[in-house]
Amino acid sequence: MEGIILFADDAIFQDSFERKLFENLIQTSEYPVLPINNLEDFEKTTKSISTFRAILLDWEFIERIEEIESKKNPLDILLSNHFYSLIFIYSQIDIGNETKETLKKKFGDKIDFLPKIKDDAQVKSETEKIFAAIKVFQDANTHLSVPF
């Protein structure tokens, strides 16, 4: 099965855990990894590309317009799209049980909510966990081979 890993996080191009995870994914992956650093590009990409192996998604995007900073999340984008791939939501804040249940109702066991990791030593284990989940999903959903 083929596919792209979409990694959307506003810190992906900064000196951060997210960048280290992205770099580790591209070094050890058999899948291309597409980095996105804002919600607007995430939404455009999800409308332009139909199939992803996995989506790694930050829950809180900080957008700066001039000196005004605002926080946005991808909830509306997730609710308005159908994804036939794994979705890993990383967050430093509590997403809330109601929101999690709404997303789990839509995506079932394809969505997982994870805390953002700050420890660089965990980059490798996080990468391995993502690849293992992709393998399990792939083996359990062989009927999706054609779309991928």
Side-chain angles (χ1 to χ4, degrees), residues 37-145:
N37 69 344
N38 63 69
L39 280 176
E40 183 178 319
D41 287 346
F42 172 69
E43 184 173 27
K44 288 178 186 176
T45 302
T46 58
K47 290 180 180 180
S48 300
I49 300 174
S50 62
T51 307
F52 301 100
R53 170 66 53 214
I55 298 172
L56 282 61
L57 183 59
D58 184 13
W59 184 251
E60 187 175 57
F61 284 78
I62 298 172
E63 296 183 358
R64 291 174 184 87
I65 300 173
E66 295 179 12
E67 293 188 23
I68 300 172
E69 195 174 274
S70 65
K71 296 178 181 181
K72 295 185 178 182
N73 68 51
L75 181 62
D76 291 338
I77 297 169
L78 290 169
L79 292 176
S80 65
N81 287 284
H82 297 283
F83 297 112
Y84 303 100
S85 60
L86 295 174
I87 303 169
F88 298 91
I89 305 278
Y90 288 90
S91 182
Q92 292 180 31
I93 62 169
D94 180 31
I95 295 174
N97 288 334
E98 186 177 328
T99 301
K100 286 180 181 179
E101 288 304 316
T102 299
L103 291 170
K104 281 198 171 283
K105 187 175 181 180
K106 178 166 181 153
F107 296 108
D109 62 354
K110 295 183 301 184
I111 193 164
D112 197 5
F113 302 92
L114 304 162
K116 279 202 171 183
I117 299 168
K118 297 294 185 185
D119 185 0
D120 292 347
Q122 292 180 296
V123 169
K124 184 176 179 183
S125 65
E126 192 68 18
T127 301
E128 290 169 356
K129 183 170 43 172
I130 291 165
F131 291 153
I134 289 171
K135 174 88 171 101
V136 168
F137 181 74
Q138 176 179 311
D139 292 347
N141 296 282
T142 56
H143 61 284
L144 293 178
S145 294

Side-chain angles (χ1 to χ4, degrees), residues 12-27:
I12 200 163
F13 298 122
Q14 300 168 12
D15 184 19
S16 62
F17 163 77
E18 294 82 359
R19 182 178 179 151
K20 290 174 181 146
L21 179 58
F22 167 69
E23 290 172 349
N24 199 52
L25 284 166
I26 60 175
Q27 290 172 2

